[in-house]
Amino acid sequence: MPSPRSRPSVVVLLASAVAFLGLGPAAAPASAATVPVGSGSYSDTRPAGTSGPTTNTGTPVTPKVTAAARNRPVPTNDWWSSLAFQRYGDNPYSTPMYGHPLTYQATSGGLDVGYPTSPSIVGDGRQYEYAHKRDLTIGLTGLNSPDTKADDWSDWTVTPLWSDGSRTLRTTIGHGSPFVYAEGTGGDARITTAGTPDVFADQGNVLGITVAGHHYALFAPTGSDWNVSGSTVTAGLGSKNYFSVAVLPSTGALATFKKYAFSFVTGSKATWNYSGGTVKATYTLSTEAKEGSERGTLQALYRHQWLHTTDPLTSYTYVSPRGTMKVRESASFSTSQKAAAVLPALPKSDAVDTARLRGYLNDVVGASDPFSGATDTYWTGKALGRLAQLVPVAEQIGETGTRDRLLGLMKGKLQEWFTAGGASEFSYDKDWRTLTGYPASYGSDTELNDHHFHYSYFVYAAAIVAQYDPAWAAESAWGGMVKTLVRDTANPSRTDSAFPFLRGFDVYAGHSWASGHQGFAAGNNQESSSESTNLSAALVLWGSATGDTSLRDLGTFLLTTEAESIAQYWFDADEQVFPSSFGHDTAGMVWGSGAAYATWWTANPEEIHGINVLPVTGGSLHLGGEKAAIRRNLAEMERENGGPAVEWRDLLWEFESFADPAAAKAKWDAGHAGYTPEEGESKAHTYHWLTTLDALGAPDATVTGDIPTSAVFAKGSARTYAAHNHSASARTVTFSDGKTLTVPARSTATSTGSGTTDPDPDPDPDPTTGNTFQLRSGGTLTTATDGTAGSDTIASAGGANHDGTPNRPLVYEARGVNATLDAGAKTAFRLQVDAGTSVGLGQQARVSFDLTGDGDFERTETYHYFATDPVTGWEEYTQARGLKAATGNLGDLRGGTVRLEVWSAIGNGTAQLRTGTDKSVLVIPYS
C-alpha cells in the first residue's frame, strides 16, 4: 500500500480496497543481536515495542507457504502476495489476484477463475475496474481444504496448493498465461461454473464451454471424458494426475490451444542486457510435456511489451485493465528499448544566477534542522533526497564548502541509520527475509509496504556521496549496508537465501507493487510510480559510482521498463489503455483491477497529479518522452483544481518543464516568492532545474548515449548532449545520432549540436521505407520539399460520433503514381494537428490506394483517432495509434492514386492540420 506523501494523516480509501553474494556476514543473519556489515550493522531482533508483519487485527503472521517452499525467501509485494501473507485472519486462502488476462481467487474448493472484459466505474467516477468475477472454479471432487499455501514461484508465475488430508490440488498460474495448469490427487477433475455452461465443442477429453459470455477449453488426459451435469463438469484422471483449463480468445482458437494443453509451464524467467544505449530483455517460460513432445506455449503480452517487440504475434487478443494484450505462440519473446537517461543532476548552465542560487543553498544548509524533524524511514529518506539533489548543484557554482556541508549531513544521517542499537536502525526479519527500518511508517513494518519507496532515497543519497567519496562507499566501509538495502528491495539474485529476487518489481507487469500483502479486492496497487523509479535511478548511480556495472545495468533495465509502463498505465500516453468511460487523463494509483484518479490520503488534484512526479531528479528525465501526455495531464489538473497549482506548484512546474520549459520557467518567475516548497523539494533545486531546462530545452528521448548516465536536451534546432563519467579516467561517449562527447574523469561534460527543429520531437522513429509525401493546402500530396508552412482547418464533428466514417474530411491526393510494393512494408504518417483550447476533440485519418487510377480504391486503411489536448501547440498524430479497420489488398501502383483523408471523429470544435512542411507527411509502402 503506497505511503501518504504529505503531513496530513487522513486516508482516502478506494471503493474496491476493503547476493549480492559475497557480502560476508550480511549474506545470512548471525545469531548475535547485531550483525556487522563493514563499518555498519543491522539487528536481527526488532527494537522493543515495535511490530513485524501482522494480520489486520495485530496478530503476528509468518509466510503461508508449504514445507517445500519454507527455506525460500518469499517475494512479497507481488501480484499474488495474498497467497503467502494472511493479512485477514478469517481468510486463509487469498484475495482476488489479477494475472491478466485471467483473474483468480483461492477458496476451500479450489481456484476461482474469471476473465473480466467490461469495465465498471466506481468511486464517483474516479476509478475504473475490471473486477474479478468468478466464471468457474477449478478443483477436485470433494476437495475442502482448510487453507491455500504458496508451494512454488518464479519471476511471474506462482503455484498455490490445497490439501484437505485426502485430496491435494496444485495449480500453476501467471501473468500473460491463458492457461491454468492443474495437478490433483484423491479425486476427479471438477470444474464448477457460474451458471449452466453452453457446450460448443465436445471431443471427449477436450471440452469447449461458454460461461458468462467467455469461452473456455477444458483438457483432461487422453482417454478421459468430460461429463456435464448442470453447472458441474467432471472428468476422471485415471492413472494420471493432470488437467488444464484455458480461456479462449474465440471458439475458433480451440485447435491452437489444444496443441499446448499438456505443455505445462513449470517456471518463468526474465533476463536483460544493456549495451550502447539499448536495453534488451527476454521473457522465457520453462515447460514440461505431460503428454506428447510439445514444449511450446501461448503467452499474452502487455501493451508495454508488444510495443517493443519484433517477434511475430498471432491475431489473438485479450481484454485487460492495461489495454489490449496480444498473443505470442512461443515459450519466449524479446523486447528492445532505448535506455532511459539518468544524470546525477542537470548540467551546468550559464543561465543560472550564481548569487541567487547561492542564497537558496544557504537557506537549506543554514536551517536549524535540515531534516525537518524526520524520524521514520520515509520522511528521513525524503530529507536525504532533498539534500542529495543540491550537492552537484553547489559544486557547479563553486560552492565546495556548501557541497561538503551537505555531504557531511547526509553521511551523518546515513551512518546513524546504518548502525544498529540507536534510535534509528534496520532490523532483519528471518521469517519474512526482509530488512525493515525502525521507526517505520505507513505499514513498512506490519504490512511490508513501500520498502522500495522509502529505501530509494537512502540509496540515492548514498550514490551521491559515493560520487564524491568512494572510500565511504567501499563495501568494507558503509557500502555494505547500502547493498543490503538494495538486496531487500531489488535483489538481482535468485539464489540469495536472505532476500527474494526483486522483491517489489514485477518483471512481467513492468512496474513495482507497493502493498506487501496484496490483501484487497482490487488486487495489489502502486501509487507513486516515480518513487519506484527513484530506486532504479539510484541503482544506476550507485552502480556507476562504485564500478558495479551489473547493478548499474539492472537499474537501467528496471527504469527503462517501468518508464514505458508509467507512460501507458499511469498517464495513458497513447490513449489506448483507459476505458472511455473513465473520463480522466491520468491515474494517481494503478491497481491489479484497473486504476484510480486518487491517492491514499487526499482527493486534492495537485497531489493526485504530483504523486507520480516526485521526487524530480536526474532520474526523472524519462518523463520527457511523452510531452503530449504531460500537457493533457496538466490541463486536467487545472480543470479539476479550478485553476493553477497552489500547494505542490514546484513539482508541477518541474513536470511541465519536461514538455514546455519556457512556460514552466515563466510560472516560477511569476510565483516563486510566495510558495512553500514540497517537503522533498527546495527553492534551490527548483530554481536550478527550471532555469537550466529553460536554457537547454526539454529532454529528447529520441537520442541516447552509450552509457546510462547520459542525456540529450533539445531547444529549437539545437541539441545539448550531456554525460557524467564516474570513472577515474576520461572517456568518450557516443550518442545514437553519431555525436561524440569526451568526458573527463569524475565529472559532467556537455556539448551542443544540430538537432530536431521541432521542440516536441516524435519519440517514434520515422519510417524508413517507401515514398514520402508532404501535404499542401488545396488538397495535394507531393514529394517536393520546398513548401511553405501553413495549415488547413479540420471541420467540427458537430458533437456527433464519426469514428471510422469520414465527415467533411480534408482530402489530399497524389495522382499518376507509379511504384512497386515493398513486401512487408507498411503505411506510415506523421500529421501535426492542434485543437487550440478546445476540449474533447479527436482527429482521424484514412489512407486509400487506387492501384490503376480508375476511381476504384482497392485498399483503404482507417486508423484510430487521435485525441488532441486543449493546450495550444502542435501535437503529432502517427500510425502508431493503430489500424481501426482495413479493406482490400495492396499491389503495385500503375498510374494510381494515393489519397489521405483527415476529419474530426468526435468533438464540437475545429482543429488545424499543419501543411507545407516535413512535419506532416505520408509515407507509402512502395519504392
Side-chain angles (χ1 to χ4, degrees):
M1 176 167 50
S3 331
R5 302 291 180 262
S6 189
R7 293 292 182 187
S9 59
V10 176
V11 176
V12 177
L13 292 178
L14 303 182
S16 67
V18 203
F20 290 100
L21 302 177
L23 287 192
S31 58
T34 298
V35 182
V37 186
S39 298
S41 58
Y42 61 83
S43 64
D44 67 354
T45 304
R46 285 190 298 273
T50 63
S51 295
T54 65
T55 67
N56 59 316
T57 58
T59 303
V61 291
T62 56
K64 190 161 60 76
V65 299
T66 63
R70 196 162 293 148
N71 293 324
R72 298 180 60 190
V74 176
T76 56
N77 309 75
D78 216 329
W79 67 273
W80 56 265
S81 292
S82 63
L83 278 172
F85 195 135
Q86 189 175 339
R87 177 62 177 165
Y88 298 96
D90 58 351
N91 181 6
Y93 304 104
S94 81
T95 54
M97 301 174 289
Y98 292 82
H100 307 146
L102 291 172
T103 61
Y104 314 97
Q105 185 167 10
T107 65
S108 62
L111 184 68
D112 288 356
V113 177
Y115 173 41
T117 52
S118 297
S120 57
I121 304 299
V122 298
D124 194 27
R126 299 168 74 87
Q127 181 171 351
Y128 76 85
E129 285 193 317
Y130 290 79
H132 168 70
K133 184 178 181 181
R134 171 183 171 267
D135 284 342
L136 51 85
T137 301
I138 298 172
L140 300 173
T141 54
L143 178 65
N144 185 20
S145 179
D147 59 24
T148 309
K149 294 182 173 73
D151 186 52
D152 194 14
W153 52 82
S154 55
D155 285 10
W156 62 89
T157 62
V158 64
T159 300
L161 183 141
W162 296 254
S163 179
D164 62 8
S166 300
R167 289 156 289 266
T168 299
L169 174 69
R170 208 173 172 269
T171 64
T172 297
I173 56 179
H175 279 316
S177 177
F179 283 95
V180 177
Y181 306 96
E183 298 172 276
T185 60
D188 295 340
R190 174 187 170 103
I191 311 297
T192 54
T193 58
T196 303
D198 294 324
V199 176
F200 65 82
D202 188 347
Q203 302 170 12
N205 72 317
V206 178
L207 189 71
I209 62 173
T210 301
V211 183
H214 304 141
H215 309 301
Y216 291 89
L218 317 182
F219 304 99
T222 299
S224 300
D225 191 11
W226 290 100
N227 176 62
V228 182
S229 177
S231 60
T232 301
V233 186
T234 58
L237 299 178
S239 62
K240 308 297 174 56
N241 69 341
Y242 53 83
F243 61 102
S244 65
V245 176
V247 62
L248 304 179
S250 66
T251 57
L254 179 60
T256 300
F257 279 67
K258 179 180 178 180
K259 178 180 178 182
Y260 302 107
F262 301 112
S263 178
F264 273 41
V265 167
T266 58
S268 56
K269 185 176 183 179
T271 58
W272 56 87
N273 171 263
Y274 168 80
S275 179
T278 299
V279 173
K280 295 182 178 180
T282 299
Y283 302 84
T284 303
L285 294 173
S286 56
T287 61
E288 173 190 359
K290 294 290 189 181
E291 291 186 9
S293 59
E294 179 59 61
R295 297 291 300 275
T297 191
L298 296 159
Q299 300 182 75
L301 279 64
Y302 283 115
R303 180 174 182 83
H304 76 274
Q305 295 169 325
W306 58 255
L307 281 173
H308 297 286
T309 188
T310 57
D311 292 339
L313 304 176
T314 69
S315 60
Y316 300 133
T317 61
Y318 289 104
V319 174
S320 88
R322 310 291 179 256
T324 299
M325 300 183 80
K326 297 187 177 184
V327 177
R328 165 104 165 129
E329 191 173 0
S330 175
S332 70
F333 65 91
S334 297
T335 60
S336 180
Q337 292 176 255
K338 290 183 176 179
V342 179
L343 291 173
L346 292 183
K348 182 178 180 179
S349 165
D350 291 339
V352 172
D353 184 317
T354 299
R356 187 175 185 181
L357 180 56
R358 183 183 299 114
Y360 289 142
L361 288 168
N362 288 337
D363 290 342
V364 175
V365 297
S368 59
D369 179 8
F371 293 93
S372 303
T375 59
D376 61 63
T377 45
Y378 182 70
W379 291 102
T380 298
K382 281 182 71 85
L384 283 167
R386 178 172 175 262
L387 300 179
Q389 299 310 313
L390 301 180
V391 172
V393 170
E395 184 178 53
Q396 285 179 12
I397 63 171
E399 289 294 315
T400 56
T402 299
R403 176 201 67 189
D404 292 343
R405 289 174 66 190
L406 290 165
L407 288 169
L409 288 168
M410 293 158 58
K411 288 179 184 179
K413 187 61 68 172
L414 288 168
Q415 290 166 199
E416 174 187 324
W417 277 87
F418 289 169
T419 303
S424 307
E425 69 172 13
F426 286 95
S427 174
Y428 183 81
D429 186 311
K430 61 180 176 57
D431 293 322
W432 288 96
R433 318 285 178 96
T434 188
L435 196 73
T436 301
Y438 292 93
S441 54
Y442 308 121
S444 61
D445 50 354
T446 57
E447 301 178 41
L448 299 185
N449 296 336
D450 300 359
H451 283 202
H452 61 315
F453 292 164
H454 297 207
Y455 302 173
S456 72
Y457 292 103
F458 285 76
V459 179
Y460 202 109
I464 296 298
V465 173
Q467 180 178 326
Y468 295 90
D469 189 350
W472 182 94
E475 200 164 295
S476 59
W478 299 99
M481 278 300 295
V482 178
K483 280 196 170 183
T484 306
L485 265 63
V486 171
R487 290 168 69 205
D488 180 73
T489 53
N491 190 3
S493 173
R494 295 179 178 86
T495 59
D496 188 341
S497 62
F499 297 96
F501 170 70
L502 296 181
R503 179 184 302 280
F505 191 85
D506 187 327
V507 292
Y508 203 89
H511 60 81
S512 296
W513 296 110
S515 170
H517 57 76
Q518 186 260 309
F520 303 96
N524 213 323
N525 67 85
Q526 179 158 264
E527 182 185 62
S528 184
S529 60
S530 48
E531 285 179 306
S532 180
T533 56
N534 191 47
L535 175 61
S536 303
L539 298 183
V540 173
L541 294 176
W542 175 264
S544 298
T546 61
D548 189 338
T549 56
S550 177
L551 186 56
R552 179 203 69 179
D553 293 353
L554 168 64
T556 305
F557 162 68
L558 298 178
L559 178 61
T560 302
T561 303
E562 193 156 19
E564 182 64 75
S565 296
I566 292 166
Q568 297 299 329
Y569 311 141
W570 274 260
F571 297 157
D572 197 17
D574 296 336
E575 298 179 280
Q576 296 293 304
V577 174
F578 295 172
S580 58
S581 54
F582 180 45
H584 291 283
D585 290 318
T586 190
M589 307 172 70
V590 163
W591 287 85
S593 65
Y597 186 77
T599 73
W600 276 104
W601 81 99
T602 182
N604 178 7
E606 296 183 31
E607 289 162 281
I608 292 172
H609 289 258
I611 192 58
N612 286 292
V613 177
L614 64 82
V616 176
T617 75
S620 306
L621 300 176
H622 65 90
L623 293 172
E626 300 291 352
K627 295 176 175 57
I630 293 173
R631 294 188 182 108
R632 290 196 305 271
N633 187 308
L634 291 170
E636 178 181 29
M637 188 280 296
E638 294 202 0
R639 291 196 304 271
E640 294 285 334
N641 204 44
V646 176
E647 294 181 29
W648 277 9
R649 63 182 77 178
D650 45 1
L651 288 172
L652 294 167
W653 292 337
E654 289 169 323
F655 187 39
E656 185 170 17
S657 73
F658 290 114
D660 194 342
K665 176 59 163 51
K667 290 178 180 177
W668 158 269
D669 289 339
H672 71 270
Y675 82 97
T676 300
E678 186 270 334
E679 287 92 337
E681 265 294 342
S682 64
K683 287 191 175 182
H685 178 255
T686 303
Y687 168 68
H688 179 269
W689 183 276
L690 296 175
T691 304
T692 301
L693 285 190
D694 184 41
L696 303 183
D700 181 355
T702 66
V703 181
T704 56
D706 62 0
I707 61 171
T709 51
S710 58
V712 179
F713 306 88
K715 184 175 184 179
S717 60
R719 279 194 177 120
T720 297
Y721 301 80
H724 185 84
N725 175 16
H726 283 88
S727 72
S729 57
R731 68 159 297 161
T732 298
V733 176
T734 302
F735 291 84
S736 57
D737 62 355
K739 178 73 174 181
T740 59
L741 173 64
T742 299
V743 189
R746 303 193 187 283
S747 63
T748 297
T750 60
S751 180
T752 57
S754 178
T756 175
T757 58
D758 183 1
D760 185 8
D762 178 13
D764 296 317
D766 288 340
T768 57
T769 59
N771 288 332
T772 301
F773 292 87
Q774 291 187 15
L775 286 60
R776 294 288 187 268
S777 293
T780 299
L781 291 174
T782 176
T783 56
T785 59
D786 57 352
T788 300
S791 65
D792 289 339
T793 299
I794 307 172
S796 169
N801 188 325
H802 302 288
D803 185 11
T805 304
N807 175 61
R808 295 189 292 166
L810 295 173
V811 180
Y812 303 87
E813 287 188 343
R815 301 188 178 188
V817 180
N818 295 297
T820 301
L821 180 65
D822 284 341
K826 295 182 180 180
T827 304
F829 58 84
R830 179 176 63 238
L831 304 175
Q832 289 204 332
V833 294
D834 179 24
T837 58
S838 296
V839 177
L841 272 59
Q843 281 67 60
Q844 194 158 32
R846 182 168 78 177
V847 182
S848 305
F849 298 88
D850 173 0
L851 301 181
T852 60
D854 63 358
D856 292 329
F857 286 86
E858 286 83 2
R859 170 76 173 177
T860 63
E861 301 171 356
T862 304
Y863 293 82
H864 288 291
Y865 69 77
F866 176 72
T868 45
D869 66 33
V871 179
T872 300
W874 296 110
E875 300 177 75
E876 291 195 340
Y877 174 25
T878 76
Q879 77 287 344
R881 299 299 299 164
L883 268 175
K884 177 180 177 65
T887 61
N889 297 303
L890 287 169
D892 293 345
L893 288 164
R894 296 291 178 260
T897 300
V898 178
R899 175 183 292 174
L900 169 67
E901 298 166 275
V902 182
W903 70 98
S904 290
I906 57 171
N908 196 2
T910 61
Q912 297 298 308
L913 173 64
R914 199 171 189 181
T915 62
T917 169
D918 62 1
K919 298 306 172 187
S920 288
V921 296
L922 170 67
V923 183
I924 62 174
Y926 290 84
S927 58

